[in-house]
Amino acid sequence: MLEALTPEVILSLATVGVSGLAICGTLVALKATKRKQNQVDVDAIVKTAPYHRLHNAL
């Protein structure tokens, strides 16, 4: 059974394995650096909006 494992097969499997690890590592690194979106409180924004500056807008 081990006779079927020629050097070409072993190198091919090793290359596929290393490529898979590189892709997984890249995805993990990108996920770790992704910024989290802050929750926006619309009610607080509306309550604290500077409406006194809108007199010249119309």
Side-chain angles (χ1 to χ4, degrees):
M1 176 162 174
L2 294 177
E3 300 87 26
L5 293 177
T6 62
E8 291 85 11
V9 172
I10 293 171
L11 287 175
S12 298
L13 291 174
T15 303
V16 169
V18 169
S19 298
L21 285 174
I23 290 171
C24 289
T26 302
L27 292 175
V28 168
L30 288 175
K31 185 177 180 182
T33 58
K34 186 173 141 181
R35 291 185 180 188
K36 293 183 179 179
Q37 296 281 336
N38 292 338
Q39 293 286 48
V40 177
D41 187 13
V42 177
D43 291 331
I45 292 173
V46 170
K47 288 178 184 176
T48 60
Y51 292 111
H52 63 280
R53 296 184 185 173
L54 292 176
H55 61 61
N56 291 332
L58 299 175

